[in-house]
Amino acid sequence: MIGDAAVTDNVKISIRNLYKIFGADPKAALQHVLDGTSKPDLLKEHGHVLGLRDINVDIREGDITVIMGLSGSGKSTLIRHLNRLIEPTAGQVDVDGEDVLAYGEEKLRNLRRQIMSMVFQKFALLPHRTVAENAGTTLGVRGVSKREYLVEADKWLDRVGLHGYGKHYPHQLSGGMQQRVGIARALTSNSPIMLMDEAFSALDPLIRTDMQDLLLELQKELHKTIVFITHDLDEALKLADHLVILKDGYVVQQGEPQHILLNPNDPYIEDFVSDINRARVLRVRSIMTPLDDSGVPPEAHGEVGFDDTLESMIARSGGDTSHSYVVVQNGKPVGTLEMTSLVRALVPRIASESGARKY
Amino acid sequence: MATYDFLFNGLGLRGWCDGGKTSDAPVSMADLLAKTGVKEEQTIWNLPFPSLNELNDACGSMAQSRDVTKGVEDGFLAAKDALRFVLDPLTQPLSWILDFTLAAFEVTPWWIMFPLLMVVVYLASKSVRLVGFVTVCLLFLALVDHYDHAMQTLAIIFVCAVLCVLFGVPIGIAMSRSDRLQRITIPVLDMLQTLPPFVYLIPLIFLFSVTEPKLYGIAIILYAIVPVIRLTDLGIRLVDKDVIEAADSFGMTDRQKLFGVQIPLALPNIMAGVNQTIMMSLAMVVIASLVSAPGLGVLVLRGIRNLELGVGLVSGLGIVLLAIILDRVTKAALNRVNAAQKQ
């Protein structure tokens, strides 16, 4: 997360000018797209579907990068380009500075085995293997012996809260538990990058929250580079260090989630943003006034954390808008917060007429 | 004076027609009798279809239908030697396997065979009740002196079903991987499945000698291999796309994917195919008694030929019991596979 010591500015995966067109002759259709044909026109006039258009995203090492969009926005297509489950029509994907698209079969297999592991929306566990065998699959495909990989699998199963379930079969587990196996399977591979394709979307809300907490907790320790796909803005805001919003195959806006929330640059995003509980998502750091030379104001009602949510601030002040607080980060005062500016930040955005809502 | 004379006269072909020589294809008795019969008067209501035979009546140079069947026969006979030259050595091992297995089932004394079968049934089904049922059926068959015949039938089914699986599963896998191969194979499978069982026997009788076991072996395999091919293909194609994608994303090789994911997940369907294959082998082995296949079918045939009602019915009952045993045991095995991997 922000301020975490392990976050570096190293770009782990860099996506450049990525295009994907589905259809009989994507190369020819690409020219039309480059000439400015829109997605509906491409489908109507040339019979091709525009999957992704000119995607440029840098995914930093140790971050959780969330790619969000409605169904059909191309987010699942995009994540499958990272490990080339789908081949792009044009563009470049670099992992650790190497062009993945130039990889031959052997190197690609190696990338999938060692560098990237994936978690799926529908779990995709092997029904004929036990939970521990499933969790060890990623090692098994590399040729690690069963005895060795079961030890490693058990370790990670314990870590995701499935101690003692190793000998069960997947169908004996609930959905949430099955996805824990899916996560354990990805972790067992010990790969630096984890791709999560709507990993929690099939779970019911309470379990989903649990799983999000589990992921954040694991991430605090493991500092993996995680690419997370979701259609749920609350989930995206909770997990994201870097948020990429897709619409109809192109990036509408990307950046720090709090920033996007406060400065949506597109009616589409305003629609999304108008729907969420802003007090729960926005944090003190996004709306505080940085400390100037005059020092800590004497009339402050107390100290608050840099990363506290506004919701906790409202509870703290008891709803009194005349209060003001000193914001403290790592024991040092860094800013002040007026309750009036907090209330101003909570003024709801009105869903735009031209946005997705009209449909 | 034939119905369609006007056609050839009108076209000015009369001279060509009368110059034709008569066919040397064999004439059936019915045709000969028809020639002596009194011709009915022609009206619009009994106007004959302009078939080859009708046209031949009007014009001697036209071919008759019996020329067509004779042509097919001649064509087959001409190709026969070449076919036989290739197929005979290729299929010879089938004769050896069948002879060997039949002999093995016959030499094994009943007091070894019974426990052996019970162990096999138990291993396949893990059900003591089913073992009891099979034992009662076998004891009944042995009691009415049908044991030897039942064992012969079982031996043939065993060989043919094993070979069907051995060939059928790889063919099914190949079909599931190539849409082209599937498009080519499906009409062949459709034909094999719809041809009446008796029709298989006709060309085989010409190709191989009737005394050879491979004759009925081939007939049974061709007839019974279809379901296991179809269901293997179907089973592998039905494997959850998400699981396949996951396997790809972990960097599985094609081989790891086939043996670690596709075949295990297709196993319930493949087993259903094996069950069908065994049942169809049993159906065919009875018919194959016409071409010297030993077993219970011989007794059924005797019942029909000599009108020995009792012999036919008792051996028929024996076949039913065998069918129930084979079906229940394979289904029990199938259910175990299903239970192990329900989603």
Side-chain angles (χ1 to χ4, degrees):
Chain A
M1 311 279 319
I2 299 294
D4 200 310
V7 173
T8 62
D9 278 343
N10 282 352
V11 173
K12 188 83 179 164
I13 306 173
S14 153
I15 304 167
R16 289 279 162 269
N17 309 106
L18 194 73
Y19 285 85
K20 176 67 187 177
I21 295 160
F22 297 99
D25 187 4
K27 290 284 176 205
L30 176 65
Q31 198 50 51
H32 297 299
V33 175
L34 293 175
D35 294 343
T37 311
S38 70
K39 180 171 177 160
D41 286 346
L42 188 74
L43 182 61
K44 204 157 56 181
E45 288 165 26
H46 305 287
H48 283 65
V49 176
L50 180 56
L52 295 173
R53 188 168 78 202
D54 199 16
I55 306 285
N56 289 284
V57 179
D58 282 333
I59 291 161
R60 282 180 309 168
E61 188 166 11
D63 265 6
I64 300 182
T65 300
V66 175
I67 298 169
M68 198 200 75
L70 297 177
S71 48
S73 61
K75 52 193 191 308
S76 288
T77 310
L78 178 56
I79 201 172
R80 280 165 176 68
H81 279 85
L82 302 181
N83 57 0
R84 278 179 62 192
L85 287 174
I86 297 178
E87 299 286 340
T89 307
Q92 196 177 343
V93 178
D94 289 353
V95 176
D96 290 327
E98 280 191 57
D99 183 8
V100 174
L101 301 177
Y103 278 9
E105 199 178 327
E106 195 57 39
K107 284 188 95 173
L108 177 63
R109 195 174 297 135
N110 204 47
L111 174 88
R112 289 174 177 176
R113 287 181 177 181
Q114 317 264 4
I115 312 290
M116 289 183 183
S117 49
M118 199 160 176
V119 182
F120 294 88
Q121 179 176 12
K122 291 177 187 155
F123 323 138
L125 301 175
L126 297 177
H128 64 293
R129 295 195 185 167
T130 64
V131 165
E133 284 167 356
N134 263 294
T137 314
T138 41
L139 287 180
V141 294
R142 290 185 211 166
V144 176
S145 77
K146 187 164 176 180
R147 218 184 43 214
E148 281 174 64
Y149 78 61
L150 283 184
V151 174
E152 193 68 12
D154 277 333
K155 187 181 103 188
W156 286 110
L157 285 172
D158 286 357
R159 193 65 197 75
V160 298
L162 286 180
H163 182 76
Y165 282 97
K167 293 220 166 23
H168 286 60
Y169 281 89
H171 67 86
Q172 296 167 307
L173 269 51
S174 68
M177 287 159 100
Q178 290 191 28
Q179 192 57 299
R180 280 170 198 260
V181 180
I183 292 176
R185 177 169 66 176
L187 291 172
T188 306
S189 81
N190 222 352
S191 58
I193 301 173
M194 254 171 92
L195 308 176
M196 306 186 72
D197 180 22
E198 301 221 26
F200 307 149
S201 302
L203 306 174
D204 56 58
L206 280 179
I207 294 181
R208 196 186 304 176
T209 311
D210 273 355
M211 299 293 284
Q212 290 161 358
D213 294 341
L214 173 74
L215 182 67
L216 288 174
E217 192 192 317
L218 286 167
Q219 175 64 357
K220 252 187 211 160
E221 238 176 78
L222 304 172
H223 308 300
K224 303 238 178 216
T225 305
I226 297 177
V227 182
F228 194 100
I229 301 281
T230 182
H231 58 245
D232 176 359
L233 186 63
D234 283 314
E235 183 168 77
L237 292 169
K238 180 168 176 181
L239 299 174
D241 296 315
H242 183 80
L243 179 59
V244 180
I245 298 180
L246 281 184
K247 178 194 173 188
D248 290 344
Y250 66 93
V251 176
V252 188
Q253 190 174 9
Q254 60 175 318
E256 213 264 298
Q258 305 266 312
H259 177 80
I260 293 180
L261 197 57
L262 291 170
N263 312 289
N265 72 358
D266 187 282
Y268 177 73
I269 299 177
E270 283 189 33
D271 281 346
F272 268 121
V273 167
S274 66
D275 237 10
I276 57 161
N277 182 347
R278 298 167 68 82
R280 185 170 291 169
V281 178
L282 284 177
R283 292 172 192 274
V284 169
R285 61 177 144 89
S286 308
I287 57 163
M288 69 172 193
T289 324
L291 215 55
D292 51 19
D293 300 335
S294 57
V296 181
E299 74 279 12
H301 289 79
E303 295 181 343
V304 295
F306 183 74
D307 271 331
D308 286 357
T309 61
L310 301 193
E311 195 174 43
S312 69
M313 287 302 305
I314 296 169
R316 175 99 179 259
S317 66
D320 190 336
T321 49
S322 66
H323 285 197
S324 64
Y325 295 91
V326 178
V327 182
V328 177
Q329 184 188 18
N330 299 332
K332 279 187 293 187
V334 291
T336 55
L337 177 73
E338 303 281 338
M339 285 305 285
T340 43
S341 59
L342 184 149
V343 173
R344 214 168 296 127
L346 292 182
V347 173
R349 295 258 170 187
I350 308 300
S352 65
E353 284 299 306
S354 60
R357 199 59 73 76
K358 68 182 173 184
Y359 300 115
Chain B
M1 183 65 191
T3 321
Y4 290 98
D5 276 346
F6 72 92
L7 189 66
F8 294 96
N9 295 338
L11 287 170
L13 291 171
R14 182 47 52 204
W16 171 71
C17 285
D18 293 339
K21 56 180 170 41
T22 46
S23 164
D24 57 350
V27 182
S28 74
M29 185 58 79
D31 288 341
L32 281 175
L33 286 175
K35 277 192 180 158
T36 61
V38 185
K39 289 264 173 182
E40 278 180 67
E41 200 184 333
Q42 287 287 339
T43 69
I44 190 73
W45 296 111
N46 62 5
L47 179 72
F49 184 81
S51 66
L52 285 179
N53 285 347
E54 270 316 314
L55 292 176
N56 178 266
D57 281 348
C59 169
S61 290
M62 290 296 289
Q64 293 184 30
S65 286
R66 55 189 156 105
D67 294 316
V68 175
T69 49
K70 184 153 194 312
V72 170
E73 189 176 319
D74 288 344
F76 185 80
L77 289 177
K80 181 187 123 175
D81 287 334
L83 270 176
R84 196 176 171 151
F85 183 75
V86 178
L87 290 179
D88 217 25
L90 272 180
T91 50
Q92 199 51 43
L94 180 59
S95 281
W96 299 332
I97 298 171
L98 278 166
D99 277 335
F100 173 80
T101 316
L102 277 168
F105 271 66
E106 264 167 49
V107 242
T108 313
W110 61 270
W111 44 268
I112 294 183
M113 204 58 174
F114 271 44
L116 199 68
L117 284 174
M118 277 173 231
V119 170
V120 170
V121 170
Y122 183 75
L123 288 180
S125 67
K126 299 270 188 246
S127 154
V128 180
R129 273 183 56 190
L130 196 58
V131 174
F133 173 72
V134 171
T135 312
V136 170
C137 289
L138 286 177
L139 283 175
F140 170 75
L141 284 174
L143 191 71
V144 294
D145 281 303
H146 281 54
Y147 173 78
D148 286 336
H149 286 102
M151 283 305 121
Q152 287 167 341
T153 301
L154 212 54
I156 296 172
I157 291 174
F158 175 74
V159 170
C160 292
V162 167
L163 287 175
C164 281
V165 172
L166 237 45
F167 289 111
V169 170
I171 294 174
I173 291 170
M175 270 172 76
S176 71
R177 303 188 140 206
S178 150
D179 286 337
R180 232 176 90 126
L181 185 65
Q182 193 196 34
R183 263 203 313 278
I184 298 168
T185 318
I186 279 189
V188 178
L189 296 182
D190 286 341
M191 191 194 76
L192 287 177
Q193 213 165 23
T194 45
L195 269 185
F198 288 103
V199 179
Y200 283 93
L201 299 175
I202 298 171
L204 289 175
I205 291 168
F206 279 86
L207 275 179
F208 306 113
S209 108
V210 186
T211 52
E212 274 182 292
K214 67 180 172 192
L215 172 56
Y216 59 80
I218 293 172
I220 295 169
I221 289 173
L222 283 180
Y223 185 66
I225 200 169
V226 180
V228 72
I229 295 179
R230 271 193 209 278
L231 284 160
T232 302
D233 172 45
L234 181 76
I236 290 185
R237 279 172 189 268
L238 283 183
V239 170
D240 195 350
K241 293 272 175 297
D242 296 313
V243 179
I244 295 294
E245 191 175 46
D248 280 332
S249 81
F250 302 137
M252 283 198 187
T253 58
D254 279 354
R255 176 178 281 267
Q256 284 173 327
K257 215 162 58 180
L258 181 65
F259 291 105
V261 181
Q262 289 172 311
I263 291 182
L265 294 197
L267 206 56
N269 273 315
I270 297 176
M271 291 288 287
V274 172
N275 170 274
Q276 287 301 301
T277 286
I278 291 177
M279 300 318 287
M280 288 177 75
S281 312
L282 182 67
M284 194 65 183
V285 80
V286 175
I287 293 167
S289 61
L290 284 171
V291 286
S292 78
L296 291 168
V298 173
L299 297 180
V300 176
L301 200 63
R302 198 176 105 199
I304 295 172
R305 247 193 327 233
N306 305 351
L307 294 179
E308 294 180 46
L309 180 65
V311 174
L313 286 183
V314 172
S315 51
L317 178 67
I319 291 167
V320 170
L321 288 181
L322 266 191
I324 294 175
I325 289 173
L326 290 169
D327 183 56
R328 288 300 131 84
V329 173
T330 46
K331 281 229 174 92
L334 171 65
N335 285 337
R336 271 184 41 225
V337 174
N338 273 338
Q341 56 166 274
K342 67 176 173 216
Q343 300 261 5

